[in-house]
Amino acid sequence: MRVGVLTGGGDCPGLNAVLRAVTRKGISVHQHEILGFRSGWLGPVEGLTTPLTLDRVEDILSRGGTILGSSRTNPYKVDDGIARLKATLAENRVDALIAIGGEDTLGVAEQLTHDGVPVVGVPKTIDNDLDATDYTFGFDTAVHIATEAIDRLRTTAESHHRALVVEVMGRHAGWIALHSGLAGGANVILVPEKPFSVDQVCEWVEQRFERQYAPIIVVAEGAVPEGGKELLVTGDRDAFGHVRLGGVGTWLADEIAKRTGKESRAVVLGHVQRGGTPTAYDRVLATRFGLHAIDAITEGDYGKMVALRGTDIVRVPLREATAQLKTVPLERYAEAEVLFG
Ligand code: F6P
């Protein structure tokens, strides 16, 4: 068999571990040929290919990013996109595709299965917001990076008696904020799932200062003040209709300073959370996803996504994975709320 593979959407640590596992098992166990498509869905649309051989995937397990490159191309929004994609697959004699991505990339994979393209999906996103899997790889690494940043920011915040607002990624889901905030002992955690009261945040900030400690506020980029709207870097939409979020951290730090009279600073962690080497957990999860994805392809079990359930890797319909986002349940957020202030 000739198996195509691509990585789409925002990159995340662990993508190379999947590529390595797919290639190693695909070639050595199943005797497949593996063809990489570059730059997400742009690859099969434009015919951008690169063979994945055993040599090519040597030494990439611990490397962040993706050796295939990525993009947010939506082939359904490109002129003749699907016809061109199918033509590329035919020219390259590709029998089936492995698409590694988040809600957007896998949404396309789902549509393609209805349009006659055999695809198996692998879930990735630092946001951990894909519904049908307990965890996505990349999330653990992002949480580690954010937690380390919070630990570092705490000592400087305390030296200067300042409030420090840490803005983390999380467009619709506050998993990174919740987990890094809990791990880092943040005094306030704000997530997109629950609009926040600025007065209440200021009260928690004051409480913390009263105890002679400097407050740390972790805010997801998609968090919104009560009665307000998401803050945007730009209103321009990508091919999947997403705007670029950002700015809530700086806005909140200014509000805190104005309302409490205390010095406040904001730090935006941004793409640092997506860069660098994956944690051991993410390397293992990504490797297992890759090994199971190439098995699903070999068995012709298309239209599925590999997923983590407990400690098992299972296959779920792509439809289930993309039907809705996995957001932070309010009861889970409430567990953390008792520690605020
Ligand atoms: O989808 C993951 C994510 O990390 C979001 O949390 C964030 O809004 C987005 O990617 C930003 O991605 P980029 O700047 O690469 O478009």
Side-chain angles (χ1 to χ4, degrees), residues 10 72 125-127 169-171 221 244 271 274:
R72 295 195 188 272
T125 159
I126 64 161
D127 293 352
M169 281 188 173
R171 198 184 268 153
E221 61 183 349
R244 268 177 64 200
H271 295 84
R274 284 201 337 222

Side-chain angles (χ1 to χ4, degrees), residues 9-12 72 102-104 124-129 168-173 176 221-222 238 242-246 270-271 273-274:
D11 70 341
C12 96
R72 295 195 188 272
E103 47 158 335
D104 299 328
K124 72 87 222 182
T125 159
I126 64 161
D127 293 352
N128 197 40
D129 58 0
V168 297
M169 281 188 173
R171 198 184 268 153
H172 308 293
I176 297 177
E221 61 183 349
D238 67 17
H242 304 300
V243 288
R244 268 177 64 200
L245 298 177
H271 295 84
Q273 295 158 94
R274 284 201 337 222

